[in-house]
Amino acid sequence: MRRTRRVKKLLWRWRSNPLRRRDDIVEAWIVLAVWTLVLVGGIVAGLVTAGAADDVFARQRAERAPVRAVLLVAVPKSVSGIGTGSERTPGTVSWTAPDGSTRTGRTLVDTGSKAGSKVVVWLDHQGGLTTEPPSAGEAAVEAGVLGTVAGCALAGAVFGAGAVARWRLERRRLDLWDREWDTVGPRWGHKTG
C-alpha cells in the first residue's frame, strides 16, 4: 500500500489531473530525458573514451621500442641544490639507431648516474627519442579514469542543461501565476469571508 502511494506520488505529472498544466507534462518529459541521457549517455561516453584511450596506449606500446644507450655526461645527485622531488633529470645519451647510425639526444636519466653508464631509452618508429609507453596495467587504469571523467562530464553537462530547462519552465509558471493573480486578486478585496 505504501509503495503504491509512493509510485503514484512519484509519477504525478503523468497522471490525468484537472490541475495538471502543459508545463508539468513538458517538465516530466525533460526529467525523463535528462535521466535517460545521464545514465545511458554517461555509460556510453565512458566506454567509448576508455576504449579509445586503451587503443592509443596499445598503439604506443607497439610502436615504441627500448634501446640500450650510454650516458655521455655525468648527472649530479642534486641538481642546483634544490630538491625537486624527482629522482630523474635530463641527461645526454648516445645510442645506435635501427639503421646503424649513432645518434645523440637528451632524455630523463636517474640522478647520480656517472658518464659511461648504461641506460634504457625508448625510440619511436622513426628512431627518435620518446617517452616510455604505459604498461598494460597503467594503461588500463588511465583508460578507466579517462572514461569515468568523460562519463561524469557528459552527465554533468546534461544534468546542467536539464536544470536550466526546468528553471525556465518554473520562471514561466511563476509569470503565469502572477498574471492570473493580477486578474483575480483585486476582486477579493480585504475580506475573506
Side-chain angles (χ1 to χ4, degrees):
M1 177 93 172
R2 289 182 94 175
R3 184 176 175 92
T4 306
R5 269 194 253 161
R6 240 185 301 161
V7 170
K8 283 183 180 180
K9 186 176 180 181
L10 188 65
L11 300 174
W12 72 270
R13 287 184 179 96
W14 299 100
R15 290 194 326 252
S16 179
N17 183 336
L19 298 177
R20 183 181 67 185
R21 298 162 298 211
R22 187 176 144 275
D23 289 349
D24 294 331
I25 296 169
V26 170
E27 184 177 17
W29 282 106
I30 288 172
V31 169
L32 180 65
V34 163
W35 282 109
T36 301
L37 285 173
V38 163
L39 293 174
V40 175
I43 290 171
V44 169
L47 290 174
V48 167
T49 302
D54 201 33
D55 290 345
V56 167
F57 297 139
R59 192 173 335 113
Q60 286 178 356
R61 284 192 302 276
E63 291 175 352
R64 298 177 184 180
V67 174
R68 304 278 303 173
V70 177
L71 184 63
L72 298 177
V73 179
V75 178
K77 279 202 183 273
S78 64
V79 179
S80 70
I82 299 173
T84 60
S86 173
E87 297 296 320
R88 296 175 64 83
T89 187
T92 305
V93 295
S94 174
W95 72 95
T96 303
D99 62 3
S101 63
T102 302
R103 295 191 184 175
T104 305
R106 292 184 59 78
T107 189
L108 291 177
V109 295
D110 294 333
T111 56
S113 298
K114 298 182 187 213
S117 56
K118 305 283 186 203
V119 294
V120 175
V121 296
W122 288 84
L123 303 180
D124 59 16
H125 62 282
Q126 297 172 342
L129 284 175
T130 187
T131 58
E132 179 180 358
S135 68
E138 292 169 341
V141 169
E142 193 167 342
V145 168
L146 290 172
T148 301
V149 168
C152 290
L154 178 78
V158 169
F159 191 77
V164 168
R166 290 182 68 199
W167 174 77
R168 295 213 36 178
L169 278 173
E170 186 66 24
R171 293 295 314 153
R172 188 168 133 181
R173 277 194 293 254
L174 289 174
D175 290 343
L176 287 171
W177 286 345
D178 282 344
R179 278 188 256 143
E180 289 175 11
W181 182 253
D182 289 342
T183 304
V184 174
R187 288 190 264 162
W188 281 17
H190 294 288
K191 296 181 182 177
T192 59

